[in-house]
Structures are given as C-alpha cells and as structure tokens.
Amino acid sequence: MATTTFAIAKAKGGAFLLEQRAPEEIFTPEDFTDEHRAIGRTTDEFWAKEVAPHVETIQHEDKGVAVKILKKSGELGLTGVIIPEKFGGMEMDLTSMMIVAERVSRDGSYSGWHGAHTGIGSMPILLFGTEEQKQKYLPKLASAEMVAAYCLSEPQAGSDALAIKTRADLSADGTHYVLNGQKMWITNGGYADLYTIFAKIGGEKFTAFLVERAYPGVQPGAEEKKMGIRGSSTTAIYLDNVKVPVENVLGEIGRGHIIAFNILNLGRLKLGPFAIGGCKDVIAVSAKYAKDRKAFGKSIADFGMIQHKLAEMNIRTYVAESMSYRVVGLIQSQLEGFSWDAPEAAATMLKAVEEYAAECSYIKVFASEVLDYVTDEGVQIHGGYGYHQDYAVERAYRDSRINRIFEGTNEINRLLATGMLLKRAQKGTLPLVEAVKKLQAEVTAGPSFGGGAGPSGPLAEETKIVENAKKIALLTVGIAFQKYLTELEGQQEVLAGITEVAMNAFAMESAVLRAQKIANSGKNADNAREMTAVFVREAMDLIESSARTVLANCSEGDALRMNLAVLKRFTKYEPVDAIGTRRKIAARILDSGRYVV
C-alpha cells in the first residue's frame, strides 16, 4: 500500500463525544499528497474522455457501453486502486480509493457500476478470501476482465439480512454445495461474471459463496425499471440447483454475517465521497445556469434567494466532505505501517474500519441527505427546466434518492450508530458512562456549570457551540438510558433522535477543525470560516429540536422542566448575519463557477 504520512491522533470510535481534537490531528482534503492529487487528475481525465461523452447513451440503458467503459477504467488501474500489486492492483491507500470514488460520481448510473464492482464486489475477496481465491479472482477483478456483484438482499429480506431464505446444501460426496433461492436488487446483476452470494447451509448457517455466472443454474432476471440510476444494471439473481465447489466458500461457514456487516461499513464510508462528487457537479451546473438564465431583466444569480440556495448547497457539501475525509484519516491512522504482505493484513484493515462503524453510519446518513438537498435545490434553481430530461440536474435528482436506501437505509443506520456506541460503553471500550456521570454532576452542581474562560483563537465561538453540542448528546444518552435501561435498544425514535444530535455534533466539529486547519496553514480561510459559522448555528437548532423530543419522551413534570432548562443553556449562541454571509459565499461560487472551500 502506498505510504502516506498522517499526523492524525489515534482515537477510539465514538471518542469524539468525549475528547477534544486539535486541527492538526484530523485529516482533510488539504492534506492530500502529490500521489493523491495525481490519482484524482487521472480519474478526471478518464471521466472527461471516456465517460462524459457517453453519459446519455448509458442513461438510455445501453448497458454494454457502461461495461466497456468500466473495463477501460481497469486498464488505467482505477478498478484496482487498493488491490495489492501482486494481484494486479495499484496497491494505493484508502484515501486514494475514496478520491477515485468521488471523481467517478458525476453520474449516478456509471458510479453504480464502478462502485459496486470495486467496493462490495471486490472487497469481500480481498478481505476474506483464501490465497487461492485471491490468486484466481483478484487479478481479473483489478483489471475489470471480470465484473463483480454482491448478492445479499432478497424479496423478503432487505434490512433484515439474516432472514434470507436462499439455501445451500452439501453434496453427498462433499465436493460442492447446491444453492437454491433468489436474490433481489443486485447492482451489476445483469452483467456480472462473479457474485458474492449469501446463503444458509442446511437452512441455518449464514455463509458467503463465490459463484461464477458461468455455473449452470445461475440466471439473472430482467432489468428492473427504476426511478433513477437507470443506466446501471439492477436485476434479481435466480439460483436453481447451482453447484458451487466447496473451495468457493468465502470466509468461515456460519459466519457470513461478519463479511456482510464489515463490507457494509466500508460501503457506508464510500457513500460519503460518492455523494460529495455528485454534490459538486450539481453545484457547478446550477451556478452556470443561474448566471446564464435571465429574468426580470437580469441574471437570476443576482437574486438573493438563488444565492441562498447556492451557498447552502456549498456549505452542506463542505461539511459532508470534512466529515468523510476525517473518518478516512481516522481509519488510515490505524493502518500505520500497513502492508498487504503481512499475515494479518485483512484482519488489520477490517478492525480499522470496524472501529469507526458509528462514524461510517453518520457519513452515510449525512452525505446522502446532503446530496438529496443539493439536487433538490439544483432543480429549483433551474425552475421548469430542472424538471426536463434534457437537463442533467433532472437526472441527478432522480439518481440521488437511492443513496438513502443503499448500504442499509438511513433509518437502520440511525439506529445502528447510537446502538454501536451503547454496546461499546457496555463492553467498557468507550467510557461513555463515566462521561455522562461527569456531565450530570456538573449539571447538578448548579448555575455555574459550563463556566470558565472557554475556547479562544479562530472560530472560538463555534468551538464553544461544538462543545455544548457534545454535552447535549451525553445529556440525551444519559436520560434515555435512565428511563429505558437495557430496553433502550428497542426505542427506535429515541435512538434516532440521539443519533441526530451526535451526528450533527460530529459534523459541526469536523467543519470547525477543518476551517481552523486552513487558517493555521496561512491560506485564506474566509470561505471555510464563514460556511462553518453558518452551519454550526443551524445544526444547533436541529440538535435542540431533536434533543427536546428525546427529553420529552424520557422525562416528565419537574424533571422534564429541569432537563429543558439545561438544554436551553447549552443551545444558546450568538447569531451571525447568515444572509450577508451566504451572499459572500454565493459570490465566490458564481465567480469560480464551482464548489469552493
């Protein structure tokens, strides 16, 4: 793996709620190395030359065109970025993989092909395959000679993955398994050459299998008629007495869930850069249209409401980008000295990703919802033309919607994120209980709690808001646990509300630290500082609303009134001129014609 120097502080997953970080301790796009920038340029050139001229053809469901382009990307190494050189890959780092993902996401359909192949298609073999399996399949996946797909969902088993019905039975001579069943919503399904298929051996042991399309009995269904990403391939996969050699069992028998859940963590992380790339493209398209479109005798870019939209689109994209690469850096910090040649390389990579499973869920939820917001406002800026299929923003709007369903719905991820932090606390790996008790002692001490000189330096007020947001997260966790104890995991609305608070606290802090880092580097940080100033205040309003809902469910009477009083104190902040600030941000976007930091 290409070596990258990270000065990132190693931290436990979820520890952001309990610890303060310095700007230099987080990873941001400003830290990209020459190698990172080079792979970004290569991907941009590939996009401009090979993908952009054929986007319309891909949209009209000529799937063969997309497959040919995917194979061309393999010739450049873009489908084998993280795969070891000995298996035909480029053996670059996780950051490089994310940069490529961001740069190919200007079109939802093509990014579906590329993302499914390089992510959930290839990664299971890289991380869980035997040496023989890797030697047999990874070189062909790295070059895209073989196209990969991942088959977990079934007609009656989506989010509840362990409820699958596909069955595998060992043959009498013990040489192969016979698979029967149906998979649903399989990306790349109609054109894949290799499927990772999950089935239950004997109807009980949840296990993964590597199944080649050429095996008799494997039959892709018809292409699904979808709202968006119409140029991607999405089919059912039918398995009729498919004989799979025993050596094609992937991972351990009965432990397929380890593969499924770990690959989903990585997929959730990768959705951040995918969404960011889509957002940046829509911002550029919308800025150009706003400058060109005339109404009432002038460009609509001169109108305050249009400027508000462009600025807010840019602000939220900036925050999603800051969060995503911060987590990439956290994972990378756990991989210091990493080598795929090490005996436990795959286990080390998996452990590093799993450590930040909650943060990966935050990224998946936050970034997918930012993309939805950006594409929606992009359509609005275009007016009636935004509703017309001749305009790219119409396609982007339809394509964005699936991201809130991919890799576990946003609802599932809102439950998982807080649930994972609570489990860490119960295991003693995250001192959440101690932090909650400390906060409760401060609150009980009386009006002086939260006093002191407070933060100083760039964005000091925003830093204070972040600190209070974390306290609100701890407050809601503590009060919710006091009421429900071990039954808290069954209170979905409460868990989702706590996630909303914690996720936005993480988002706030990521934005603040990045803006401070830019300022400390001597670069012009006006735009980052102003975007951050607007975001943290709006996010605090959302946090207050979510926390109020949780507190009202978990307390009543005098206890509720006291809790709300504490909440009110934590949510106080000095407002900024958001209108004037957004106008300045919009002016920079319109001047550059693109997303700006």
Side-chain angles (χ1 to χ4, degrees):
M1 177 175 284
T3 56
T4 307
T5 302
F6 289 86
I8 310 305
K10 291 184 179 181
K12 289 285 187 180
F16 73 93
L17 283 172
L18 318 177
E19 303 170 355
Q20 293 184 8
R21 297 265 73 90
E24 64 272 13
E25 293 178 322
I26 71 160
F27 183 69
T28 73
E30 289 71 36
D31 296 314
F32 288 169
T33 64
D34 289 342
E35 190 175 45
H36 292 147
R37 286 187 282 272
I39 193 67
R41 288 192 299 272
T42 298
T43 311
D44 285 341
E45 291 166 4
F46 163 75
W47 177 271
K49 181 181 178 181
E50 302 292 350
V51 186
H54 303 290
V55 164
E56 286 303 317
T57 304
I58 294 172
Q59 295 307 312
H60 289 90
E61 304 186 36
D62 186 343
K63 304 293 192 299
V65 171
V67 174
K68 289 178 182 177
I69 295 172
L70 182 66
K71 291 182 182 297
K72 286 184 178 180
S73 76
E75 295 171 8
L76 293 174
L78 299 181
T79 51
V81 172
I82 202 170
I83 292 176
E85 290 181 356
K86 67 179 181 179
F87 298 124
M90 296 178 71
E91 201 165 336
M92 300 181 76
D93 63 6
L94 190 65
T95 306
S96 301
M97 183 182 183
M98 298 302 163
I99 290 171
V100 172
E102 180 184 324
R103 303 303 178 94
V104 300
S105 61
R106 296 174 176 92
D107 175 66
S109 291
Y110 180 74
S111 67
W113 286 97
H114 191 278
H117 174 75
T118 61
I120 58 177
S122 301
M123 292 303 289
I125 301 172
L126 176 60
L127 294 173
F128 294 95
T130 63
E131 188 65 21
E132 292 73 23
Q133 290 169 344
K134 292 175 184 178
Q135 289 175 358
K136 182 176 182 179
Y137 293 118
L138 284 181
K140 294 179 179 179
L141 295 176
S143 66
E145 178 184 341
M146 294 184 84
V147 176
Y150 178 86
C151 305
L152 179 60
S153 296
E154 296 185 2
Q156 303 302 321
S159 297
D160 184 13
L162 297 181
I164 63 170
K165 301 296 184 184
T166 298
R167 184 182 177 100
D169 292 289
L170 185 63
S171 63
D173 61 5
T175 61
H176 59 269
Y177 287 92
V178 179
L179 270 60
N180 284 281
Q182 176 186 349
K183 294 297 177 177
M184 193 73 177
W185 312 119
I186 306 307
T187 304
N188 292 0
Y191 288 76
D193 304 290
L194 181 67
Y195 304 96
T196 299
I197 293 180
F198 292 85
K200 288 182 177 177
I201 295 177
E204 295 180 355
K205 297 178 180 178
F206 191 85
T207 306
F209 297 84
L210 297 176
V211 181
E212 296 182 27
R213 182 194 183 99
Y215 292 168
V218 177
Q219 181 61 53
E223 292 288 343
E224 303 291 352
K225 298 183 183 300
K226 308 187 293 285
M227 176 195 297
I229 56 170
R230 292 176 179 171
S232 66
S233 175
T234 308
T235 71
I237 302 296
Y238 299 99
L239 306 163
D240 183 13
N241 290 322
V242 178
K243 295 181 179 179
V244 180
V246 291
E247 56 266 27
N248 275 33
V249 169
L250 182 64
E252 298 180 48
I253 290 174
R255 293 180 60 80
H257 61 286
I258 302 298
I259 299 175
F261 297 152
N262 278 284
I263 293 303
L264 287 175
N265 284 334
L266 193 55
R268 289 162 185 157
L269 174 66
K270 203 173 179 182
L271 260 176
F274 271 128
I276 292 159
C279 287
K280 290 180 180 180
D281 191 58
V282 171
I283 289 169
V285 168
S286 299
K288 183 179 186 304
Y289 182 85
K291 288 191 288 187
D292 293 343
R293 175 69 171 172
K294 301 294 189 294
F296 305 105
K298 59 182 179 179
S299 167
I300 67 170
D302 293 332
F303 298 149
M305 293 294 283
I306 298 297
Q307 292 175 5
H308 174 104
K309 293 180 188 301
L310 287 170
E312 189 63 19
M313 291 156 73
N314 203 91
I315 290 168
R316 297 192 192 191
T317 301
Y318 163 78
V319 178
E321 182 179 53
S322 303
M323 294 170 67
S324 296
Y325 284 104
R326 178 183 180 182
V327 177
V328 171
L330 283 168
I331 294 171
Q332 202 75 59
S333 73
Q334 303 285 332
L335 299 172
E336 188 175 348
F338 178 87
S339 170
W340 284 112
D341 292 329
E344 300 298 321
T348 301
M349 175 68 75
L350 286 166
K351 184 179 179 182
V353 175
E354 186 180 16
E355 181 66 34
Y356 304 102
E359 287 86 348
C360 288
S361 285
Y362 292 156
I363 288 171
K364 193 275 181 186
V365 172
F366 192 93
S368 65
E369 293 180 0
V370 167
L371 180 59
D372 259 9
Y373 173 85
V374 169
T375 56
D376 184 77
E377 290 289 54
V379 168
Q380 200 70 12
I381 290 170
H382 282 72
Y385 289 105
Y387 208 68
H388 197 285
Q389 291 188 9
D390 285 350
Y391 286 76
V393 74
E394 181 270 346
R395 181 176 69 247
Y397 178 82
R398 288 185 290 101
D399 289 349
S400 72
R401 187 59 182 84
I402 188 59
N403 292 292
R404 285 162 57 194
I405 300 171
F406 270 160
E407 315 294 2
T409 65
N410 283 13
E411 289 72 24
I412 287 292
N413 275 281
R414 279 185 160 91
L415 302 180
L416 286 174
T418 294
M420 286 184 281
L421 295 184
L422 292 174
K423 287 179 180 177
R424 284 178 171 273
Q426 291 169 357
K427 292 178 180 178
T429 57
L430 182 68
L432 196 59
V433 175
E434 293 85 345
V436 168
K437 288 180 178 178
K438 180 180 178 182
L439 177 66
Q440 290 172 338
E442 290 180 17
V443 170
T444 305
S448 64
F449 77 87
S456 60
L459 293 153
E461 178 65 20
E462 287 73 20
T463 301
K464 180 181 176 182
I465 294 172
V466 170
E467 291 177 359
N468 285 337
K470 293 181 183 182
K471 290 179 180 179
I472 295 169
L474 296 175
L475 177 71
T476 55
V477 168
I479 291 172
F481 187 75
Q482 282 179 344
K483 176 171 182 178
Y484 291 109
L485 300 176
T486 57
E487 295 181 1
L488 179 55
E489 64 182 24
Q491 302 301 314
Q492 292 194 348
E493 301 96 320
V494 174
L495 290 176
I498 295 171
T499 292
E500 203 68 35
V501 174
M503 176 178 69
N504 276 281
F506 185 75
M508 283 180 177
E509 186 177 56
S510 300
V512 169
L513 290 172
R514 183 180 181 189
Q516 290 174 328
K517 188 170 192 172
I518 295 172
N520 292 344
S521 72
K523 298 176 183 176
N524 187 333
D526 288 350
N527 202 56
R529 176 179 53 78
E530 289 166 359
M531 288 192 292
T532 299
V534 172
F535 175 76
V536 297
R537 288 163 174 83
E538 291 203 336
M540 181 56 92
D541 292 343
L542 178 58
I543 284 174
E544 181 177 15
S545 175
S546 297
R548 185 182 296 273
T549 299
V550 172
L551 296 177
N553 176 263
C554 299
S555 56
E556 58 186 358
D558 289 342
L560 174 59
R561 284 185 282 275
M562 185 186 75
N563 290 334
L564 292 177
V566 173
L567 176 64
K568 185 175 181 180
R569 179 157 186 169
F570 284 147
T571 55
K572 282 183 178 180
Y573 60 80
E574 288 292 328
V576 295
D577 176 12
I579 293 174
T581 302
R582 282 198 181 90
R583 287 176 179 172
K584 289 190 286 184
I585 295 167
R588 297 180 187 115
I589 298 166
L590 292 164
D591 183 57
S592 65
R594 58 181 175 80
Y595 164 78
V596 291
V597 175

